[in-house]
Amino acid sequence: MPFFIPVAVGGLVLTALGLGVKRVLEEVAPASPEEARVREARERHAEALAALRAARLLVREGLVAWGARQSCVHTEVALPFRELLERLERWGHARADEVLDAGALEALRALPPAPSARADRRPWPLLGVGAVPPPELLPVLAWLDRGWLDEDAPPVVVDGASLFEAAAPRDSQAPGTPDARVRALDEAAGVLAQATRFLEELRARLVAREARVAALHGRASVQLTYLDASSFEEDGPEPRERLLRLAALVGRLGVLLRAPVLGVDGRLAPAPPESPDDEAAPHT
């Protein structure tokens, strides 16, 4: 049963179903050309609201997929590789700073030292593995996850625009000329369209980042399977060469896992630069 946020503006009730809209007033035929223009503006606004809802759902799917990939890479590759390096260092065969560049070493050391609980992983897809969300981003994270908007809660600001104000523009209901009401509705629809474009770009970044990491994940998993600390006991060149290749892949994975998709200002974060280890992976 959907949860209805207790605010109704102009016959619209915002629901938990991702900015869904339920009409609570009966539609009546417009009595004048001016009222017809207002009705058409309301329809344009409703279409923009529906598009934003659909975009949010797609972003949520992208967050789930990328978050699952992050968790798998962290558990199946990064942590075993870190354990391998620790053994090699204890036995005097290799040091982390010999096989990893500074950026990769910093990223791997910043990853959580053990698998994390689901609640702790919730902000990872947007902010990077191990990140703790700043308070100002909590409303956006909650809305992307559940789709709730509440007038009395902290505002959900997407790409600089407050979604509640755009979803339920008060000026469109205040006494005034039809022109003013149409203008308020169209301005709000424009804000919703801007937020929708932002979400579409956000989803594209998530999908591309997941695909980019998936390719590296597969290669690193295979190489990790055939490399263990005991293989260094004979002190041959092959294990060290394989370690260097594996370190390059895992170091790149560490950088990509830590890289945020969304900045602390709520806007898209710069994508990590391309690396030769990414091969033909798509851009993020």
Side-chain angles (χ1 to χ4, degrees), residues 211-233:
R212 187 174 177 180
V213 168
L216 294 170
H217 181 195
R219 293 164 55 202
S221 295
V222 170
Q223 294 193 28
L224 187 61
T225 301
Y226 294 101
L227 187 65
D228 56 50
S230 62
S231 64
F232 284 79
E233 294 178 356

Side-chain angles (χ1 to χ4, degrees), residues 22-90:
K22 179 181 179 181
R23 295 195 177 278
V24 296
L25 296 181
E26 292 184 358
E27 297 285 358
V28 295
S32 66
E34 290 77 12
E35 290 183 11
R37 291 177 53 237
V38 174
R39 174 70 57 82
E40 291 169 358
R42 287 192 183 284
E43 291 173 354
R44 292 192 295 272
H45 182 268
E47 290 172 359
L49 200 57
L52 181 63
R53 176 190 179 187
R56 186 200 71 83
L57 291 174
L58 290 175
V59 167
R60 190 176 186 280
E61 292 177 3
L63 292 173
V64 170
W66 174 221
R69 177 70 62 182
Q70 286 177 313
S71 181
C72 285
V73 174
H74 177 233
T75 302
E76 299 173 4
V77 175
L79 294 183
F81 179 76
R82 190 156 61 184
E83 293 173 0
L84 172 64
L85 275 183
E86 289 172 354
R87 290 199 301 271
L88 292 177
E89 287 184 328
R90 286 197 302 269

